[in-house]
Amino acid sequence: MEKDKSISSLKVMENRINKIKVLRPIDDLCGSVFFQDIGCTQLLLREIMEKPDMKIQEMAPQSVFPNLFGRGGRLDVVAFDTASGAYNLEFQNDREGAVLDRAFFNYALLARHLIDKGTDFKDFPCTSIVFVQEEDFFHANQAKAKVKFVLDGNPPVPLESKLHIVYVNTNVTEIETTLSKILHDLRCSSAEEMLVPQFAARMEQVKNPNGKEMAFMCEALAMEREEGREEGRKEMAKETAFAMFKTGTPYETVQL
């Protein structure tokens, strides 16, 4: 019996590792681990934000931001530079997770934690929400697109804001610039495929079967599976309770 359990556990772990092997930095689990590395995050943000001298001083990968008065959220990567700027990197493989309202929501979560009571509006930190997409979100056929705020007038008047929203399209074919090479590497599942040496070295760490990054991702997959089971149990309980209620079961005996 114990031998069977051991074999089963080994198979489960092998399946998890095989799943992780095909993950790329564009996938949120791999991306949130890959960009725990300050150097890689700094390189990516320098190119996206066009700030070659940016220095990242602090990281907060896979940060949970609770909200006592409403919906909280989990942000893939949060980084802070030495100029008091905050950056939220979100790795999205679908359009639904990168709608503009999501950017405002993430900013609201960050603002509650970044802005001290009594801070003047002019002293608010610059905050950038960066969606790294597998596809071209706006079908603009360009590597990145910045959202700008404009007053609807004649002529339109551009508005300044300390909130910056950027959509990055990794589905690029040219690999002539540093940014395009980085975007190419975000879609690679192994170090051998990558063009940027710094990214390739980091990927070797992330995909090392005996490394702490692999252990973390395996644990995350296990938790994700358990959360899925719990969610399934809750849904089944709700359906059962609703069916009982429809058949006239007393309200007091229906429990979710």
Side-chain angles (χ1 to χ4, degrees), residues 218-241:
C218 284
E219 182 65 23
L221 285 180
M223 292 177 61
E224 186 178 281
R225 183 179 180 183
E226 188 57 37
E227 287 173 359
R229 286 176 174 174
E230 181 62 25
E231 189 63 30
R233 286 193 287 264
K234 287 181 180 179
E235 287 300 318
M236 185 177 295
K238 288 180 181 179
E239 291 176 5
T240 301

Side-chain angles (χ1 to χ4, degrees), residues 174-207:
E174 296 180 2
I175 53 174
E176 298 177 356
T177 66
T178 301
L179 177 59
S180 59
K181 290 179 181 179
I182 289 173
L183 299 183
H184 166 274
D185 287 1
L186 293 181
R187 296 167 62 97
C188 295
S189 59
S190 67
E192 291 75 19
E193 302 173 81
M194 291 183 163
L195 303 173
V196 180
Q198 188 171 347
F199 273 36
R202 176 58 179 160
M203 186 57 109
E204 287 185 351
Q205 290 180 327
V206 170
K207 294 298 182 75

